[in-house]
Amino acid sequence: MLADHKDAIKKNVQFILSHFCDQGHRFPRAITTLKSKDPVYINNEEEILQHFIESDFKECKINGYPFFGKEERDMDKLSPSLLFIDIDLSLCSVCKYPKRKLDYILNLTLNKIEKETHGIPTVIWTGYSYHICLPVRMLFNPNDKEKHSLEFVTPSKEFIPHVNQDLTTEFIRFAAKYFTTNSHQKDSIQNNNYNSISTKSCFITVPETINTKNSFKAEIVQKWDGKVTNIKTIAPYFLDNIMQRKSEYITKDKK
């Protein structure tokens, strides 16, 4: 039984790692488990499995972004390559049927992603939240062969002083809010803590590992279609967002 479970987890680890095909390299990368608590930086698939086994497959997660380093020049190597959206039952705490409401929010989110980007993301149900994971790149011309960084959209030095994190983190936070916000749903989104998302904390729950809060074994609801999605369509909205924040920062600074 343990061997079968290990094989299943191995396949699911490989499935999650397949989402990072456009990142240049897979390792080093952070993982977390119940035993480790804090992030552990690993260098290969075998190390991931070993840590998961040692934790009895409990609270096993893999970061959606690789680890480059702590220096500013290292962060410049990052570009949006994975959209990560975490919607959980706290959004529906006052609802009579919380899970039904959360499913409704999930469907709205997936429909908006598909309508605006044609993307089909992976969706994982952890027993408390849905993890939505979509590999992305930014191409502005159909003939482009290489993805663009956010520097292509706007020089980061112009905006970094006016945002809280690196531009890639700011972008994935913006995208999470953008795709989950609907006209009748704004209050719910304001209550969701998307500002905690960063390139260092996009931890994806591995399917068939155990959520210790409710002893639920995470399951795949929808599989990524294998196509890296072009997200150029929301780049102008992101630019508008950080330009507004810059303007607000300057106005506040003058007072």
Side-chain angles (χ1 to χ4, degrees), residues 69-72 74-76 78 80 150-151 154-174 177 193-202 238 241-242 245 249:
K70 298 181 180 180
E71 300 297 327
E72 184 176 345
D74 294 319
M75 296 307 297
D76 290 341
L78 285 173
L150 289 172
E151 285 283 345
T154 179
S156 62
K157 291 181 180 179
E158 181 181 350
F159 292 101
I160 284 295
H162 314 298
V163 297
N164 298 321
Q165 300 287 337
D166 61 276
L167 280 185
T168 297
T169 287
E170 293 293 342
F171 185 84
I172 58 180
R173 289 179 179 181
F174 170 80
K177 294 175 184 177
N193 191 18
Y194 287 125
N195 286 334
S196 65
I197 299 174
S198 76
T199 54
K200 298 178 181 178
S201 63
C202 289
F238 173 66
N241 177 268
I242 57 175
R245 291 168 65 179
Y249 182 92

Side-chain angles (χ1 to χ4, degrees), residues 169-231:
T169 287
E170 293 293 342
F171 185 84
I172 58 180
R173 289 179 179 181
F174 170 80
K177 294 175 184 177
Y178 179 83
F179 286 119
T180 55
T181 299
N182 293 279
S183 59
H184 58 285
Q185 197 184 308
K186 291 180 180 178
D187 291 339
S188 295
I189 295 307
Q190 289 174 357
N191 291 332
N192 207 25
N193 191 18
Y194 287 125
N195 286 334
S196 65
I197 299 174
S198 76
T199 54
K200 298 178 181 178
S201 63
C202 289
F203 284 101
I204 305 165
T205 296
V206 175
E208 296 192 58
T209 61
I210 300 168
N211 179 348
T212 55
K213 291 180 181 178
N214 53 15
S215 299
F216 185 84
K217 191 179 291 186
E219 58 188 28
I220 298 174
V221 175
Q222 173 177 290
K223 280 193 172 185
W224 171 48
D225 64 357
K227 299 176 182 177
V228 179
T229 299
N230 187 3
I231 48 168

Side-chain angles (χ1 to χ4, degrees), residues 63-109:
N63 195 351
Y65 280 84
F67 177 75
F68 279 108
K70 298 181 180 180
E71 300 297 327
E72 184 176 345
R73 63 179 179 273
D74 294 319
M75 296 307 297
D76 290 341
K77 298 176 184 176
L78 285 173
S79 62
S81 55
L82 185 84
L83 294 190
F84 176 75
I85 304 174
D86 183 358
I87 55 174
D88 61 49
L89 288 170
S90 67
L91 289 172
C92 316
S93 57
V94 297
C95 300
K96 185 176 181 180
Y97 302 105
K99 180 59 165 55
R100 185 184 300 177
K101 177 65 175 179
L102 190 64
D103 289 344
Y104 176 70
I105 294 172
L106 172 68
N107 288 331
L108 288 176
T109 301

Side-chain angles (χ1 to χ4, degrees), residues 127-146:
Y128 178 75
S129 63
Y130 285 113
H131 287 182
I132 303 171
C133 312
L134 180 65
V136 297
R137 64 172 58 142
M138 200 173 291
L139 301 175
F140 289 91
N141 188 306
N143 297 321
D144 286 344
K145 294 183 179 180
E146 294 186 5

Side-chain angles (χ1 to χ4, degrees), residues 15-42:
F15 173 65
I16 296 299
L17 292 177
S18 72
H19 292 65
F20 313 144
C21 60
D22 210 42
Q23 293 184 348
H25 62 270
R26 292 182 175 181
F27 304 104
R29 187 175 299 269
I31 65 168
T32 59
T33 67
L34 179 65
K35 183 178 179 180
S36 70
K37 296 182 181 178
D38 295 325
V40 176
Y41 294 95
I42 47 82

